[in-house]
Amino acid sequence: MRLLEQAVTVSLASDDDLAGFKAAVRRLVAQQMAPQDVQWQVATAAHGDLFSEPAPVTQAARAPAFRLPAQAVQWLEHAALHSEPGRFELLYRLVWRLLAEPGLRDDPLDADMLHAERLSRSVRRDMHKMTAFVRFRPLAAQAGEPTEHVAWFEPDHHIVRATAPFFARRFAQMRWAILTPERSVRWDGETLDFGPGARREDAPPADAGEQLWLTYYAHIFNPARLKPDMMRKEMPRRYWKNLPEATLIQPLMHAAAQRSGQMVEEGATEPQRRRPASSIALRLDQRPADTALPGTLDALRLATSHCRDCPIGQHATQAVHGEGAAGAALMLVGEQPGDQEDLRGRPFVGPAGKLLQQAFDRLGWQRELLYLTNAVKHFKFELRGKRRLHKTPGQKEAMACSQWLEREIGLVKPQAAIALGATAARALMGYAVPVSSARGQWLQRADGLPVLVTLHPAALLRMEVGDPQAAFDAWLDDLRQAAGYAAIRTAST
Ligand code: URA
């Protein structure tokens, strides 16, 4: 590290030098070096090694430890691998601010926080795509030698080092190498060996096994299930050139309409009946006496906890019940508990809940006067390593849970409800509601309950384009329409 009239230039060994970045951050914080006095660069042959002028090891060892929120640490580790050149400046500034401004961690609209989260999300997506789209091809081996499998991949960010352990676990018995323009990695069954980038021509061409895969892919392709937009989202075009099956996608898509027409003519399958809007109420009335639903919120909580009408309940930590008092005039309905709600057993206490609380603060609403609940009472997730990633509940799961929501409505007797997002809107109304066009509008249920439709707070947190502040203000405008109900509590039942 070199001092230049107060300023410091940190030179990292490579774009994916996460260890160097973290060590430099620790050292800079220990030296109280303000972000505006730090310049970051990645070493090229011209720049030399890790630090232009390495600080003594003892100095780094003496750097006092500091703690950052776990969430921020995760963002930093991913966002540091983004290809955006200014990421190190941003991330060091964020660390500096997190240490100096304790409230920052709870501010979901801070521009630096949003920026870091966006970078982190895009890196995680790239890592996920790499795990999904790497296609190995066998390399001709010498007699007696194990076959090596080689893949060519072009990531958007500097993710090879971070993603390689996934392949080592998944293909532990295989010898393989992944070549990318910036970095290559080889696995010999025991260690990961990283090297410089390679060229596409260095990877082997298609083989006979690949033909088998193409035949299989063409067979399993179901034209009736074709959702081109979803497919493009999941498998963006830029990956196609390295996916053998991509050569089949266009012809299969073109043939899809014709093939699905044929399937309709051939097939005599029983159509699924749509649930009429009033069917939830009917089902509740028609339940046999021995499974009669509970008559108080406490009894309802107990009954919900034991629900296994769909598979989600088995995996969640606990059911998350609604919160608030019977008699609240306004009920807000979300989708399902998230990771933190599942652990704490309370609705809206994670990031989406924090944004909702900010909205309440701006609107002058008191959370205690409202009733907050979810359409689905258990957390549905997918395990990715140690992380539990939110998965949208399926319609059947939401249906299975609707008995509990309906009973809650019956017991709380709100005068109005707000549907936060599509799952809530569907659960409340009994039919799919297009949230982007219906937001800000009041709908009426068959039982007369007015339902205001708006976005789920998580949708605002996920927003990648546009002005987050303007989106938040527009959301407040939607919510404000229910202000008349937010302050009232009728006699408790
Ligand atoms: N998202 C929801 O829909 N509900 C919660 O309780 C938390 C996050």
Side-chain angles (χ1 to χ4, degrees):
M1 201 176 299
R2 190 160 33 105
L3 276 172
L4 275 182
E5 300 161 355
Q6 293 281 325
V8 173
T9 299
V10 178
S11 178
L12 300 174
S14 59
D15 270 309
D16 59 359
D17 181 14
L18 197 54
F21 174 62
K22 289 205 259 183
V25 166
R26 277 194 292 273
R27 199 175 309 174
L28 292 166
V29 169
Q31 292 172 344
Q32 289 290 296
M33 197 59 76
Q36 60 272 23
D37 296 331
V38 182
Q39 283 180 358
W40 296 85
Q41 67 185 23
V42 173
T44 58
H47 289 132
D49 250 351
L50 182 58
F51 290 105
S52 315
E53 210 176 277
V57 174
T58 49
Q59 189 184 346
R62 268 194 273 114
F66 56 85
R67 277 190 158 276
L68 292 173
Q71 170 87 80
V73 173
Q74 242 184 37
W75 288 353
L76 296 178
E77 294 197 341
H78 287 127
L81 302 177
H82 200 278
S83 50
E84 187 170 296
R87 67 198 180 278
F88 297 124
E89 277 83 3
L90 164 76
L91 298 178
Y92 181 55
R93 183 169 67 244
L94 195 53
V95 170
W96 184 263
R97 293 187 55 213
L98 279 165
L99 294 174
E101 303 168 34
L104 181 59
R105 66 185 66 185
D106 297 318
D107 184 354
L109 292 177
D110 178 82
D112 282 347
M113 294 276 276
L114 284 172
H115 191 171
E117 194 196 357
R118 187 167 53 74
L119 298 191
S120 157
R121 198 173 329 125
S122 133
V123 167
R124 280 184 276 129
R125 194 178 309 125
D126 200 30
M127 290 173 70
H128 170 66
K129 297 292 182 212
M130 180 168 174
T131 60
F133 296 148
V134 156
R135 298 282 182 268
F136 289 107
R137 288 168 171 171
L139 202 61
Q142 307 277 354
E145 286 281 306
T147 308
E148 184 169 36
H149 289 80
V150 180
W152 170 252
F153 189 71
E154 292 169 59
D156 289 339
H157 306 296
H158 312 290
I159 57 166
V160 175
R161 245 180 229 288
T163 318
F166 164 87
F167 291 96
R169 283 193 303 277
R170 171 68 69 85
F171 302 108
Q173 307 304 325
M174 219 166 92
R175 280 165 160 246
W176 53 259
I178 301 173
L179 313 182
T180 80
E182 176 186 83
R183 178 157 311 293
S184 57
V185 53
R186 176 165 269 110
W187 171 252
D188 61 4
E190 284 182 2
T191 45
L192 286 169
D193 194 13
F194 294 94
R199 294 166 312 156
R200 179 199 294 267
E201 307 83 85
D202 298 329
D207 66 311
E210 192 160 298
Q211 193 47 51
L212 208 63
W213 160 237
L214 290 180
T215 311
Y216 171 73
Y217 185 85
H219 256 83
I220 59 163
F221 183 88
N222 181 348
R225 293 234 184 106
L226 178 66
K227 291 196 181 123
D229 289 344
M230 182 68 86
M231 194 163 170
R232 275 182 213 109
K233 191 164 163 237
E234 286 303 311
M235 198 194 272
R237 258 177 197 282
R238 65 177 185 283
Y239 296 105
W240 288 20
K241 61 181 181 294
N242 296 319
L243 289 175
E245 65 269 32
T247 53
L248 297 177
I249 294 175
Q250 287 292 13
L252 286 172
M253 274 169 79
H254 280 134
Q258 194 196 351
R259 277 185 65 199
S260 51
Q262 263 171 18
M263 282 167 80
V264 170
E265 277 179 18
E266 287 162 11
T269 48
E270 194 58 28
Q272 277 217 335
R273 286 182 45 206
R274 265 190 77 157
R275 180 172 59 135
S278 58
S279 68
I280 308 168
L282 280 176
R283 276 198 358 228
L284 289 169
D285 292 348
Q286 288 167 358
R287 281 177 83 91
D290 58 343
T291 58
L293 283 159
T296 65
L297 283 175
D298 283 342
L300 181 66
R301 286 193 178 103
L302 195 65
T304 314
S305 311
H306 293 111
C307 179
R308 292 294 179 269
D309 284 0
C310 81
I312 313 181
Q314 294 166 31
H315 304 291
T317 311
Q318 57 192 318
V320 176
H321 313 286
E323 198 174 83
L330 184 60
M331 175 183 270
L332 285 91
V333 184
E335 181 191 76
Q336 62 163 348
D339 183 65
Q340 296 188 36
E341 286 80 12
D342 168 80
L343 296 172
R344 292 172 58 187
R346 292 184 55 204
F348 289 106
V349 290
K354 282 188 183 142
L355 193 61
L356 197 56
Q357 185 58 49
Q358 284 211 345
F360 294 163
D361 293 344
R362 284 276 298 275
L363 295 164
W365 295 4
Q366 281 175 267
R367 179 169 167 142
E368 308 76 62
L369 294 185
L370 310 168
Y371 190 93
L372 303 187
T373 191
N374 284 300
V376 171
K377 308 299 181 199
H378 284 105
F379 175 37
K380 181 175 182 187
F381 61 89
E382 181 182 306
L383 261 187
R384 190 81 54 73
K386 287 189 188 153
R387 288 186 310 130
R388 303 190 305 167
L389 299 187
H390 162 275
K391 270 194 100 174
T392 305
Q395 211 183 312
K396 278 192 187 154
E397 290 147 349
M399 274 283 284
C401 240
S402 65
Q403 56 182 316
W404 307 121
L405 177 63
E406 289 303 318
R407 194 61 196 161
E408 254 176 325
I409 294 173
L411 290 168
V412 176
K413 298 194 175 58
Q415 294 175 16
I418 299 183
L420 298 167
T423 305
R426 180 171 204 139
L428 282 165
M429 301 306 302
Y431 54 84
V433 177
V435 173
S436 47
S437 54
R439 63 174 294 185
Q441 290 176 32
W442 286 98
L443 306 178
Q444 195 167 35
R445 284 169 36 112
D447 62 4
L449 181 70
V451 175
L452 175 67
V453 178
T454 188
L455 304 183
H456 191 282
L460 283 112
L461 293 173
R462 274 198 306 267
M463 226 181 86
E464 286 195 6
V465 286
D467 174 359
Q469 195 57 56
F472 183 69
D473 289 343
W475 189 50
L476 287 184
D477 288 343
D478 287 354
L479 295 171
R480 197 171 283 117
Q481 296 197 44
Y485 297 100
I488 331 168
R489 181 184 289 167
T490 54
S492 165
T493 50

